[in-house]
Amino acid sequence: MTGARVQLIGLTKQYGTGDPAVDHVDLDIRPGEFITLLGPSGSGKTTTLNMIVGFTDPTSGRIELNGNDISRTPAHKRNFGMVFQNYALFPHLTVAQNVAFPLRERKVAAAETDKLVREALDLVDLGGMGHRRPHELSGGQQQRVALARAVVFSPNLLLLDEPLSALDRKLRQSLQREIKRLHDELGLTFVFVTHDQDEAMTLSDRIAIFDQGRIVAVGTPTELYHRPNTTFVARFLGESNVFAGRYLAASDVYEWHDRKWAVSPGGGGEGQALIVRPERLGVALDETSVPAGSNVAPAAVTDVSFYGTYYRIELAFADDSVGCAVLPVGAPAEISPGARVVAHWRPEDQVLVSE
Ligand code: ADP
Ligand code: MG
């Protein structure tokens, strides 16, 4: 199998008269990549997937597969595999018959079908389970059957809509690894939908972040984590300290509350918010013990929790906003709820965003 390139161009879906479910989405899905559509519930992820696979017609815009417009191509002719949250297996068919289903639809000969089904079941570690019925399998095994069924006919593209959301945490993690391995082995383009940021971060080559029917950011997990372009993206992917202030171009400083902070070279622009990730924030007992060149924000400690490998310090800043710092083991005992502290960070560890 080779990975397909899929381009979404101005893709829009309007139900009724309200705001569009999907609103002028542009996305260039690269051959063989693992791309995740991440966003809150109702942000348009499933509608986008359903338009790609051909279950839903776009209101406007188009979809191209390897440069050819497939917007009006019926779903069964697109040759895309799809995996759903609820497995969608046929309960009265055996595992092998479920996996064989797309091959029967394609009128593949019996001997070839047997061979492909066996290979697909081996691929998801279910060799020998072919005679069982879905209800005789665990949730994780059922989802493996759904995966086997989705790849057995050598699709151009595999689409997965929250495939792990119904599983408990441990099973979820093991299936995440399985899906990642499947992607690496098959070399197929994967479009994965989730609302779980950790899942998106660990699995994806790139993430497209959805908000209200639009893509508001696209990038690798590290790009989006370290260089979020808006406070929405920063808050949605990981945790953030968001300081609402303004960038003063004339003096090249960021003004927050009664403070003026240094801006790293090229870090200015239309800054309306300054973002610092929790692991980049230090916590000191007074300003004199802060490393030279740091930006500082006075805060009160509201909570301290111990997580084995780190401490998490909840903070209330001088402007009444809240945030947190993550400290390695050995936080001083004086950093306890009620303590007055100074949060500090290096200017190069902050990101200025315009909204
Ligand atoms: P997500 O998968 O991100 O949770 P959806 O794509 O399912 O979001 O939904 C996006 C928006 O479109 C929501 O406001 C939802 O209510 C609406 N929507 C989805 N499907 C339909 C439909 N068949 N008819 C009307 N509205 C719909
Ligand atoms: Mg959905």
Side-chain angles (χ1 to χ4, degrees):
M1 292 180 212
T2 50
R5 178 185 187 190
V6 176
Q7 286 159 284
L8 313 182
I9 301 150
L11 197 62
T12 299
K13 182 66 189 182
Q14 175 93 46
Y15 290 110
T17 54
D19 291 333
V22 175
D23 192 2
H24 291 89
V25 159
D26 293 311
L27 186 63
D28 190 349
I29 301 168
R30 299 170 186 161
E33 83 171 324
F34 193 125
I35 192 162
T36 294
L37 315 185
L38 173 70
S41 178
S43 58
K45 307 180 297 296
T46 293
T47 305
T48 301
L49 218 59
N50 285 342
M51 287 193 280
I52 297 174
V53 80
F55 297 158
T56 299
D57 285 333
T59 308
S60 60
R62 64 181 199 278
I63 303 164
E64 291 186 1
L65 171 64
N66 298 327
N68 302 311
D69 192 339
I70 56 159
S71 310
R72 303 289 153 199
T73 305
H76 67 274
K77 290 200 173 146
R78 295 187 191 188
N79 208 41
F80 295 164
M82 179 103 183
V83 178
F84 305 88
Q85 181 180 328
N86 60 4
Y87 323 135
L89 300 177
F90 304 109
H92 58 288
L93 299 183
T94 65
V95 164
Q97 287 165 342
N98 266 280
V99 176
F101 193 84
L103 300 174
R104 289 190 51 179
E105 281 186 312
R106 287 166 174 78
K107 311 215 185 312
V108 175
E112 178 72 0
T113 295
D114 287 348
K115 174 175 157 283
L116 292 173
V117 167
R118 216 169 28 246
E119 284 172 3
L121 286 175
D122 282 344
L123 191 67
V124 296
D125 286 330
L126 286 180
M129 298 274 201
H131 60 283
R132 295 211 192 172
R133 309 252 167 200
H135 74 266
E136 296 174 296
L137 302 179
S138 69
Q141 288 172 327
Q142 289 185 46
Q143 198 55 302
R144 284 167 198 261
V145 177
L147 278 165
R149 185 180 59 183
V151 300
V152 71
F153 56 93
S154 300
N156 294 315
L157 181 76
L158 185 61
L159 301 136
L160 308 102
D161 194 355
E162 311 228 12
L164 309 179
S165 298
L167 304 173
D168 67 44
R169 206 172 105 90
K170 228 176 139 197
L171 210 52
R172 216 180 150 111
Q173 285 172 343
S174 101
L175 254 114
Q176 281 173 7
R177 281 192 293 277
E178 191 82 356
I179 286 174
K180 185 88 180 153
R181 184 182 59 80
L182 211 58
H183 174 257
D184 296 344
E185 268 180 40
L186 297 176
L188 196 60
T189 310
F190 276 35
V191 184
F192 187 91
V193 165
T194 185
H195 62 267
D196 179 326
Q197 48 158 299
D198 292 332
E199 193 162 281
M201 297 271 271
T202 53
L203 289 176
S204 317
D205 295 320
R206 288 193 305 154
I207 300 172
I209 299 191
F210 275 67
D211 183 27
Q212 296 178 35
R214 293 169 185 261
I215 292 181
V216 294
V218 188
T220 65
T222 48
E223 278 165 1
L224 293 176
Y225 187 81
H226 293 298
R227 293 277 132 200
N229 58 347
T230 63
T231 55
F232 177 85
V233 171
R235 287 196 159 109
F236 203 77
L237 206 67
E239 280 193 294
S240 289
N241 295 281
V242 179
F243 298 99
R246 64 200 176 110
Y247 173 66
L248 304 179
S251 44
D252 197 27
V253 293
Y254 188 82
E255 189 180 54
W256 170 81
H257 196 55
D258 57 356
R259 298 274 165 164
K260 285 190 168 57
W261 291 331
V263 173
S264 57
E270 295 290 304
Q272 300 295 318
L274 185 149
I275 292 164
V276 187
R277 293 296 192 178
E279 71 280 5
R280 302 288 176 167
L281 207 65
V283 179
L285 291 166
D286 57 71
E287 266 184 58
T288 55
S289 49
V290 169
S294 303
N295 288 333
V296 298
V301 175
T302 54
D303 192 33
V304 177
S305 334
F306 178 53
Y307 285 89
T309 50
Y310 64 93
Y311 284 87
R312 188 187 151 86
I313 320 284
E314 305 278 348
L315 300 165
F317 295 109
D319 67 345
D320 290 333
S321 64
V322 295
C324 70
V326 168
L327 303 185
V329 282
E334 296 89 334
I335 297 178
S336 56
R340 302 245 142 226
V341 294
V342 183
H344 60 89
W345 64 94
R346 303 181 309 168
E348 56 266 43
D349 289 336
Q350 70 198 18
V351 180
L352 264 65
V353 297
S354 58
E355 51 176 300

